[in-house]
Amino acid sequence: MYDDLWEVVVLDTSQPDQEGEYPVYAWNPGVLEGGLMEKVADNFGEFTLHECQQELG
């Protein structure tokens, strides 16, 4: 999935929570030394809900 500001949105499958959900990070692979990452949501459902709310206003 692509994000306008950060390039790529990814799930960190190395960090599942108690319910088996993965945190969502925005990743810019163009930055030297492995890229730049920022956590944007605790799970994909939270991320998707936030994105939909922004689009709907």
Side-chain angles (χ1 to χ4, degrees):
M1 172 178 281
Y2 288 90
D3 179 79
D4 293 339
L5 181 62
W6 280 89
E7 297 285 327
V8 182
V9 176
V10 298
L11 301 177
D12 184 352
T13 59
S14 71
Q15 298 183 42
D17 65 14
Q18 294 176 355
E19 297 162 355
E21 298 286 335
Y22 305 112
V24 180
Y25 285 86
W27 176 44
N28 185 337
V31 177
L32 297 177
E33 298 182 25
L36 179 64
M37 291 181 66
E38 179 180 316
K39 186 174 181 180
V40 293
D42 290 330
N43 58 58
F44 189 71
E46 179 183 305
F47 171 76
T48 304
L49 177 61
H50 178 73
E51 291 294 307
C52 289
Q53 288 172 334
Q54 279 189 315
E55 288 296 318
L56 296 173

